[in-house]
Amino acid sequence: MDGNGRWAAARGLPRVAGHRAGAQAVRRTIEAALQHGVQWLTLYAFSSENWRRPEGEITDLTGLLRHYLRNEVTELAANGVRLRVIGERRRFAADIQAAFVDAERLTAGNARLNVTVALSYGGRSEIVAAARRVAEAALAGTLDPAALDEAGFAEKLFTAGTPDPDLILRTSGERRLSNFLLWQAAYAELVFLDVLWPDFGAQHFAEALADYARRERRFGARPV
Ligand code: IPE
Ligand code: MG
């Protein structure tokens, strides 16, 4: 979800106005996913690298996150959304960490749409954390290194139990993954949109799905 700052700058507004408008785009996107019957949606809201931003912007972003968790979760739960948070959760303030737990608990019984929010998330550090868990299990004698396969490794990632993404969509005209779901993205179809995230809406969502539907996915196999 990229382009909040540029959206605000284009209007002579502070960056936080872009982040607020970005939160509205999150609402629209979840609605669109529900409407299209998409069952898994992962939102890259804050990367491990985003901690390098100025303190004021971090405060604005964590403030918005706090607000969102307080005010939106009940409605998400009512709409059949199950919420999960992946990333270095411990880097957030204690009350936000508690709100993650509450939101996950409150929505744990839902299955219509699984929304995963990636917060303080980085694909490489996720892979390193998984490797560490594998090494620990091997040292403890509960895992035979020779028996480790891709499925077994994937179970050590934050996304254990979540299917790999079929489609990854990035807004704002940048054409890179920026450390998002590096392991899981192995065969994802990539869609890059020139629209800034706060302008993203149901129409863009539908167009991305239509684009995806036109792709031929072979997973390395021969064309038939
Ligand atoms: C995305 O918008 C929001 C976050 C990364 C939290 P940006 O803040 O990256 O907006 P640009 O890229 O400066 O336009
Ligand atoms: Mg950006």
Side-chain angles (χ1 to χ4, degrees):
M1 305 187 285
D2 198 13
N4 295 355
R6 279 163 279 173
W7 184 92
R11 285 161 181 75
L13 297 169
R15 291 180 65 86
V16 65
H19 295 316
R20 267 189 222 115
Q24 297 288 341
V26 168
R27 278 180 209 110
R28 293 195 294 272
T29 303
I30 291 175
E31 257 166 53
L34 284 165
Q35 247 152 37
H36 286 275
V38 168
Q39 285 179 298
W40 298 88
L41 175 72
T42 304
L43 300 164
Y44 198 8
F46 194 85
S47 74
S48 311
E49 291 72 31
N50 284 150
W51 292 110
R52 293 187 202 138
R53 293 195 179 193
E55 201 186 314
E57 186 169 359
I58 304 280
T59 306
D60 288 340
L61 285 166
T62 50
L64 267 170
L65 176 61
R66 197 176 267 122
H67 181 85
Y68 195 88
L69 287 166
R70 244 180 236 155
N71 298 290
E72 307 279 337
V73 174
T74 319
E75 196 187 326
L76 291 176
N79 283 319
V81 172
R82 177 169 183 175
L83 215 76
R84 291 179 181 84
V85 174
I86 58 169
E88 307 155 309
R89 296 160 64 131
R90 265 171 278 187
R91 291 188 73 173
F92 290 93
D95 69 303
I96 294 183
Q97 289 185 49
F100 295 158
V101 174
D102 288 346
E104 288 177 336
R105 214 176 271 155
L106 188 75
T107 62
N110 294 336
R112 187 174 164 208
L113 170 62
N114 293 276
V115 173
T116 301
V117 189
L119 288 163
S120 188
Y121 174 85
R124 284 187 173 183
S125 77
E126 176 186 37
I127 292 168
V128 170
R132 195 178 296 123
R133 293 179 63 190
V134 165
E136 282 164 359
L139 271 177
T142 55
L143 183 136
D144 171 12
L148 181 69
D149 57 9
E150 291 185 11
F153 189 79
E155 273 170 34
K156 307 286 187 197
L157 297 167
F158 293 141
T159 50
T162 300
D164 285 344
D166 292 309
L167 166 65
I168 293 181
L169 203 158
R170 180 173 186 151
T171 56
S172 93
E174 311 289 358
R175 278 149 174 81
R176 54 177 174 266
L177 284 178
S178 299
N179 212 5
F180 183 59
L181 299 181
L182 295 181
W183 167 280
Q184 300 87 337
Y187 277 99
E189 296 294 331
L190 308 180
V191 170
F192 298 102
L193 292 182
D194 286 331
V195 59
L196 300 173
W197 176 249
D199 290 326
F200 185 84
Q203 191 59 38
H204 302 111
F205 192 91
E207 279 165 20
L209 289 187
D211 187 345
Y212 170 79
R214 285 190 294 268
R215 309 268 178 107
E216 191 197 344
R217 304 184 80 199
R218 295 200 297 265
F219 301 95
R222 255 174 52 181
V224 279

